[in-house]
Amino acid sequence: MSETRSVPAPAAGTDDDHGHPRRWAILSVLVLSLIVVVLDNTVLNVAMKTLADPEQGVGATQSDLAWMINSYTLVFAGLLFASGVIGDRLGRKRMLLAGLVVFGVASLLSAYASTPDQLIWYRALMGAGAAIMMPSTLSLLRNVFSAKEFPKALGIWTGAVGIGGAIGPIVGGALLDHFWWGSVFLINVPIVVFGLIAITILAPESKGSQAKADFVGMALSMIGLVSLTYGIIEAGDAGSWTGIEVWGTIALGVLILVGFVLWERRIPHASLDMKLFKSTRFSASSAIITLTFFGMMGLMFFMTFYLQIMKGYSPLETGLLFLPFGASMLVFAPLSNTLVNKFGAKAVGIVAMLLVITNFTVTALVFEADTSVWVVIGLFFITGAGMANLMPPAMNTLMSSVPREKAGVGSALANTLRQVGGALGVAVLGTIMAQVYRTQITDAAPQLPDAARESYASTYGALETGAIPADAAAQVAQAANDSFIHALHTTALAAVAVGVVGLVIIALFFPGKRRAEGTEAPAEAAEPALVEV
């Protein structure tokens, strides 16, 4: 018979100096679990053109394609925070295994979907699986590594995000060149099976504090995040922030999240300690995570259209062009902690943000239809180096501010900020691009039907299906290219502005070299966790 009693348990089989004896093998498995989630998102980006084909795909419309991505994002963002809280109570290993099972089953169903609606719902189920497992990868990492080694492990974890995003298009492109579209989802299944076996064998179970469950707080976080994310997604799809479905759901989400904050401040067993945000370093790190993904996700999403439609690269070739970004993150992210220790988080963060802003600036000022592919490759590599030295310090500051027994909460918060920031970036920058493109193409090609003016992809869709008369096709194609380039420049300038805001936050609030030392102390001072003995 087992009983629950209070004993000190800093890290589920770790000690403060060395961590868990199998920590590096555990890290490998956690990285694999993380990669399969990240890979799936980027795989879908290169498969969109195929899925839109009524013969080779499922005949998805532009709206269907958007919701194949958005259904995943909506569920993922809505469940992330609550999943982290639940993982701290029930066990992070259990949550990771449960999430992998849901993700694997949803991947299998997605591979054999026969209609766009089916694929949208199965993608939503994949989002649920990803939300269940994602916080556990980082919270388990926090618990099996010592405070000294955690920043290095976090750098490797961050690098895995980059390489997973980079190899996704390559894997997806290779599969689409040789197999049917369902293979891009089916490839997840053997990876999930391996992850289930390896995690069961290697990873220790760890739990957080067993205080009274905050069911109201978890419910408010889910409803608020779903409503907010839905409104943001609708704004991005519509290319406008007007209409009750957009501002109404955003306003409702904000109100519910305000209620969540007030509730968390009121109760003694809050899921999220609001006092954390009184720390300028914690708040600044949260803001940098959100702003960086706001700019990057928005711009990287549209680079896919630039490479595949304007430049004419195949899905596999597009994936290979994204590889320098992931490779750069994989190389530089594990080294970021060494640079922070030597120069301080502020200096490293400023240089890293400047590298990211370089991408936006060059895109705004240099990119044209005939821009050399080597410029694209160089920009992706530079941007990866910037992200690799920006995310680990910000994530480490956020995670080290949260007690170990609430590592799942810290992980969930960090990933929620990334997801909502990315969705907001796609929506806001997407709205800017859509409105600029529609204005330009309407003036340049007034003969186009309204449906063909909605986006660059819809214009080229009309050209490929013969909806545009042959004698006007060349003029319309040139007008579409010019309009897209103009819209891309404007969107990139907006991303520059976002990057400058992040630069100011880093300069004002990130710690310098001397203040960067000893950041783990507040987290280690937390009360002992409860474990099963």
Side-chain angles (χ1 to χ4, degrees):
M1 177 180 292
S2 67
E3 59 178 351
T4 302
R5 59 187 179 87
S6 178
V7 295
T14 74
D15 63 69
D16 289 339
D17 294 326
H18 302 293
H20 194 280
R22 296 193 300 270
R23 60 193 180 280
W24 296 108
I26 293 169
L27 173 62
S28 302
V29 180
L30 294 179
V31 162
L32 182 66
S33 303
L34 175 67
I35 284 177
V36 74
V37 174
V38 179
L39 180 148
D40 179 77
N41 271 334
T42 51
V43 157
L44 189 61
N45 286 339
V46 298
M48 287 193 291
K49 191 174 181 181
T50 304
L51 288 169
D53 191 293
E55 296 180 1
Q56 295 183 351
V58 292
T61 65
Q62 187 71 21
S63 177
D64 291 333
L65 293 173
W67 273 107
M68 286 172 191
I69 295 174
N70 295 339
S71 62
Y72 181 99
T73 302
L74 188 65
V75 176
F76 186 39
L79 296 183
L80 258 174
F81 182 77
S83 296
V85 176
I86 294 170
D88 283 341
R89 289 185 58 83
L90 300 183
R92 290 115 183 194
K93 179 178 178 178
R94 289 190 182 96
M95 287 294 285
L96 180 54
L97 293 173
L100 279 170
V101 169
V102 173
F103 191 87
V105 170
S107 297
L108 186 62
L109 292 171
S110 296
Y112 294 99
S114 57
T115 66
D117 285 345
Q118 285 182 1
L119 189 52
I120 289 169
W121 283 106
Y122 295 151
R123 286 280 298 165
L125 185 61
M126 291 177 73
I132 294 169
M133 64 184 284
M134 189 74 165
S136 295
T137 63
L138 194 51
S139 56
L140 274 174
L141 201 67
R142 174 78 188 281
N143 276 270
V144 300
F145 279 91
S146 65
K148 182 179 180 181
E149 288 186 324
F150 176 69
K152 182 178 180 180
L154 181 59
I156 296 173
W157 185 92
T158 304
V161 175
I163 199 64
I167 66 174
I170 298 172
V171 172
L175 290 171
L176 289 172
D177 281 351
H178 296 90
F179 304 101
W180 99 113
W181 63 265
S183 61
V184 301
F185 298 109
L186 199 61
I187 192 66
N188 295 336
V189 176
I191 300 175
V192 166
V193 171
F194 175 80
L196 286 169
I197 296 171
I199 290 166
T200 301
I201 296 171
L202 293 174
E205 183 59 279
S206 69
K207 295 182 181 181
S209 57
Q210 301 294 304
K212 184 179 178 181
D214 178 20
F215 293 113
V216 173
M218 286 188 284
L220 288 173
S221 73
M222 285 190 289
I223 298 171
L225 286 169
V226 167
S227 180
L228 176 65
T229 308
Y230 179 84
I232 291 170
I233 289 171
E234 280 296 305
D237 287 347
S240 170
W241 291 76
T242 60
I244 185 66
E245 196 168 8
V246 174
W247 64 259
T249 50
I250 290 176
L252 178 63
V254 170
L255 285 174
I256 294 173
L257 290 176
V258 169
F260 167 75
V261 172
L262 296 175
W263 174 261
E264 296 298 281
R265 293 180 62 183
R266 175 176 174 268
I267 61 171
H269 54 281
S271 297
L272 179 62
D273 185 0
M274 290 299 159
K275 294 178 182 177
L276 289 170
F277 290 96
K278 292 182 179 180
S279 165
T280 55
R281 291 174 55 213
F282 180 86
S283 297
S285 296
S286 300
I288 288 302
I289 291 169
T290 306
L291 289 173
T292 302
F293 274 82
F294 177 101
M296 284 306 305
M297 292 299 290
L299 202 59
M300 295 290 276
F301 176 77
F302 298 113
M303 284 303 296
T304 301
F305 292 101
Y306 174 81
L307 293 171
Q308 285 195 256
I309 299 178
M310 178 166 286
K311 304 294 281 186
Y313 290 111
S314 70
L316 178 57
E317 290 169 336
T318 301
L320 289 171
L321 290 174
F322 277 104
L323 186 58
F325 176 83
S328 182
M329 284 197 69
L330 187 65
V331 170
F332 291 110
L335 303 176
S336 63
N337 187 56
T338 301
L339 294 176
V340 169
N341 289 336
K342 186 173 183 179
F343 301 107
K346 179 176 293 188
V348 173
I350 287 174
V351 174
M353 183 59 82
L354 286 172
L355 291 177
V356 173
I357 292 174
T358 298
N359 182 323
F360 304 150
T361 305
V362 173
T363 302
L365 302 179
V366 175
F367 265 49
E368 299 293 342
D370 59 352
T371 297
S372 170
V373 70
W374 292 106
V375 175
V376 178
I377 291 171
L379 279 181
F380 283 164
F381 186 84
I382 290 171
T383 306
M387 291 284 286
N389 287 287
L390 195 58
M391 285 296 100
M395 295 281 284
N396 184 45
T397 299
L398 191 149
M399 288 295 295
S400 64
S401 301
V402 180
R404 263 183 172 160
E405 66 267 22
K406 290 198 173 183
V409 174
S411 173
L413 178 62
N415 284 296
T416 299
L417 292 171
R418 288 169 46 163
Q419 196 68 23
V420 173
L424 193 59
V426 171
V428 173
L429 297 182
T431 300
I432 294 171
M433 174 166 276
Q435 290 181 343
V436 173
Y437 179 82
R438 280 199 292 264
T439 300
Q440 293 292 313
I441 196 68
T442 299
D443 293 338
Q447 70 271 39
L448 273 177
D450 289 342
R453 298 176 188 170
E454 287 300 311
S455 67
Y456 187 45
S458 62
T459 302
Y460 258 83
L463 287 167
E464 290 176 352
T465 57
I468 308 299
D471 59 345
Q475 185 265 333
V476 169
Q478 185 61 48
N481 289 342
D482 293 342
S483 299
F484 177 77
I485 286 295
H486 183 79
L488 184 63
H489 289 171
T490 305
T491 305
L493 286 174
V496 169
V498 173
V500 170
V501 172
L503 196 63
V504 172
I505 292 173
I506 293 171
L508 292 178
F509 301 114
F510 266 38
K513 183 178 179 181
R514 282 176 292 182
R515 291 177 57 198
E517 298 172 359
T519 58
E520 187 69 13
E524 298 306 313
E527 61 185 275
L530 291 174
V531 296
E532 295 292 329
V533 295

